[in-house]
């Protein structure tokens, strides 16, 4: 499988290093709005992907099967539709871009028409599998509570403070770099307006903690994950990086485990 990565930061870099050693994956191109980041990553890799300076070079390359977006919500907005229209599968990390329903629906339609896939990894949360199963019957409520150190949320508070309480849609828009997982959870379940989100800045924690409560016809589940953040980017949980790598490997696996 020939891959290109857009966004050579924390997640893009970790994915590139992971597949660099992996049979069956061929990393052919790297693109970053900051060309030095792509060039620095390329120097670390055995596979020697081409560092490109224009998205068009990915779009016109007929040999690329899958593009990994690990850049920003703007990247999804600006390149997502073009990538699918050029006939390539797409994996998306900046899922918060899908608070725009029109963008999500358009990308989904193009993927359906062209028989392509859009992959959205679970990211830094647990429970996406159970939520998808539960969604085969009635779900009454989905609630995500995210607790992070104020530094990870770019706020300066010296005691536990609720920064946001409301719909996932509004919360993701207010904290676009922090709660992509709320968007993922909403897409897997009952949508951005019915999924509830609470964001707490807590100086006493040094982990990114997500608690998910789901109630429905199946019963209820409560899951909690205490994520260590990546040293390079405290806003990003290590599990999100691992989830992206696991999703990629899963595409090639004959046996698919989990919902
Ligand atoms: N789905 C999840 O669970 C989850 C978890 C953590 C982070 N994220 C999101 O994934 C994305 C990447 O996270 P990260 O920790 O690797 O960030 P990062 O800041 O370490 O790296 C992002 C890289 O993308 C580049 N970039 C930004 N906009 C671009 C554009 N329009 N075109 C090309 N390159 C661009 C930047 O220059 C940077 O090198 C972010 O949007 C982040 O919010 C998602």
């Amino acid at each position: 499988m020939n891959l290109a990565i857009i966004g050579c930061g924390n997640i893009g870099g970790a994915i590139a290093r992971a597949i660099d050693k992996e049979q069956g994956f061929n990393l052919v191109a790297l693109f970053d709005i900051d060309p030095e980041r792509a060039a620095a990553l390329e120097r670390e890799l055995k596979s020697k992907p081409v560092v490109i300076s224009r998205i068009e070079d990915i779009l016109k390359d007929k040999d690329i099967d899958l593009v990994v977006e690990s850049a920003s919500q703007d990247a999804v907005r600006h390149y997502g539709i073009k990538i699918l229209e050029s006939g390539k599968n797409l994996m998306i990390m900046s899922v918060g871009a899908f608070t725009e329903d029109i963008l999500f629906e358009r990308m989904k339609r193009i993927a359906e028409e062209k028989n392509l896939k859009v992959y959205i990894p679970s990211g830094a949360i647990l429970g996406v599998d159970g939520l998808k199963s539960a969604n085969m019957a009635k779900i009454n409520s989905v609630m995500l509570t995210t607790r992070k150190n104020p530094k990870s949320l770019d706020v300066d508070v010296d005691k536990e403070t609720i920064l946001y309480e409301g719909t996932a849609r509004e919360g993701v828009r207010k904290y676009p770099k922090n709660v992509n997982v709320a968007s993922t959870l909403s897409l897997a379940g009952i949508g951005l307006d019915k999924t509830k989100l609470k964001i707490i800045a807590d100086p006493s924690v040094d982990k990114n903690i997500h608690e998910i409560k789901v109630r429905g016809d199946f019963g209820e589940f409560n899951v909690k994950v205490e994520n260590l953040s990546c040293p390079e980017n405290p806003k990003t949980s290590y599990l999100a990086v691992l989830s992206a790598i696991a999703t990629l490997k899963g595409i090639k696996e004959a046996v698919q485990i989990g919902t």
Side-chain angles (χ1 to χ4, degrees):
M1 183 188 296
N2 291 333
L3 276 96
I5 293 180
I6 299 178
C8 302
N10 191 24
I11 297 180
I15 292 172
R17 283 176 217 108
I19 60 172
D20 200 33
K21 300 177 204 133
E22 200 66 34
Q23 279 204 336
F25 291 103
N26 188 20
L27 181 58
V28 294
L30 297 175
F31 173 53
D32 198 293
I33 208 163
D34 174 353
E36 184 41 43
R37 293 198 89 166
L41 179 59
E42 185 271 343
R43 287 194 288 273
E44 282 182 54
L45 302 172
K46 278 196 307 228
S47 48
K48 296 296 160 213
V50 178
V51 174
I52 60 154
S53 56
R54 298 170 337 127
I55 187 73
E56 286 71 23
D57 293 338
I58 289 182
L59 301 178
K60 70 179 188 218
D61 187 336
K62 298 263 176 281
D63 292 333
I64 294 175
D65 305 300
L66 172 70
V67 177
V68 174
E69 176 283 317
S70 48
S72 60
Q73 292 189 22
D74 270 354
V76 179
R77 282 184 206 108
H78 292 138
Y79 321 135
I81 287 171
K82 289 181 187 166
I83 290 166
L84 291 169
E85 278 177 340
S86 75
K88 294 160 184 52
N89 300 291
L90 179 58
M91 188 170 100
I92 289 180
M93 294 309 295
S94 306
V95 198
F98 291 146
T99 55
E100 288 165 37
D101 294 336
I102 292 175
L103 179 67
F104 180 72
E105 290 306 330
R106 259 192 89 188
M107 287 177 60
K108 189 173 158 196
R109 204 183 58 241
I110 298 166
E112 283 165 358
E113 282 167 9
K114 292 191 169 274
N115 201 20
L116 297 166
K117 297 273 189 204
V118 176
Y119 299 99
I120 300 178
S122 301
I125 50 167
L126 312 182
V128 172
D129 53 349
L131 180 60
K132 281 167 65 184
S133 304
N135 209 16
M136 297 299 104
K138 186 171 182 320
I139 293 178
N140 298 322
S141 63
V142 180
M143 170 84 203
L144 167 66
T145 304
T146 292
R147 182 181 294 270
K148 294 189 179 187
N149 188 279
K151 276 192 234 132
S152 298
L153 291 158
D154 291 330
V155 292
D156 187 12
V157 293
D158 56 10
K159 61 177 189 336
E160 184 185 292
T161 308
I162 296 175
L163 296 181
Y164 175 79
E165 203 165 2
T167 65
R169 188 187 302 276
E170 203 50 39
V172 176
R173 285 185 178 157
K174 283 196 162 144
Y175 294 89
K177 293 191 176 156
N178 293 96
V179 282
N180 280 287
V181 287
S183 204
T184 306
L185 197 68
S186 303
L187 293 172
I190 56 177
L192 283 145
D193 298 315
K194 289 189 185 146
T195 302
K196 299 291 177 246
L197 171 65
K198 191 193 274 192
I199 304 174
I200 303 169
D202 184 346
S204 73
V205 300
D206 59 357
K207 300 193 176 78
N208 298 332
I209 302 171
H210 300 292
E211 287 183 78
I212 294 163
K213 288 185 197 299
V214 178
R215 291 204 175 88
D217 284 356
F218 73 99
E220 65 178 74
F221 71 75
N222 301 305
V223 289
K224 178 178 179 183
V225 57
E226 299 191 19
N227 287 295
L228 294 174
S229 42
C230 292
E232 300 83 4
N233 185 347
K235 290 188 184 67
T236 295
S237 301
Y238 186 40
L239 190 65
V241 174
L242 298 177
S243 160
I245 296 168
T247 300
L248 273 183
K249 290 193 176 175
I251 295 170
K252 291 197 73 74
E253 273 160 18
V255 179
Q256 307 253 320
I257 302 170
T259 307

